[in-house]
């Protein structure tokens, strides 16, 4: 499975918001659960902070699904 690209207009976005925007989580509750259950990686490392700040080029994965953050 390839990595989808998700574009934002700001310099950064928080992990919980990005999971929803990228379609990796249906809503904030699911995003929180995925993060708490250590099912989310950022650039290959498990991330447990919902408010972690993502920047241009970061790759977020949940299982086999991956999304790369790109700033406009």
């Amino acid at each position: 499975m390839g990595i989808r690209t998700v574009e934002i207009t700001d310099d950064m976005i928080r992990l919980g918001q990005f999971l929803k925007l990228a379609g990796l989580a249906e809503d904030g509750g699911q995003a929180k659960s995925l993060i708490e259950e250590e099912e989310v990686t950022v650039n290959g490392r498990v991330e447990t902070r919902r408010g972690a700040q993502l920047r241009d080029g970061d790759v977020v994965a949940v299982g086999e699904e991956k999304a790369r953050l790109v700033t406009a």
Side-chain angles (χ1 to χ4, degrees):
M1 179 175 277
I3 300 175
R4 80 182 77 144
T5 300
V6 179
E7 189 173 308
I8 64 168
T9 56
D10 294 327
D11 291 337
M12 57 73 77
I13 187 172
R14 297 194 189 282
L15 178 57
Q17 295 170 316
F18 184 77
L19 288 170
K20 294 182 292 185
L21 181 65
L24 298 172
E26 292 180 17
D27 55 33
Q30 185 184 26
K32 181 179 177 182
S33 293
L34 289 169
I35 294 166
E36 287 177 350
E37 294 168 9
E38 299 185 355
E39 294 185 30
V40 178
T41 62
V42 177
N43 301 325
R45 296 187 179 178
V46 173
E47 180 57 73
T48 58
R49 299 170 298 147
R50 192 168 82 186
Q53 295 182 356
L54 304 177
R55 302 199 184 285
D56 187 49
D58 285 343
V59 175
V60 177
V62 176
E64 296 296 315
E65 293 187 76
K66 296 180 182 178
R68 180 185 317 276
L69 173 63
V70 177
T71 56

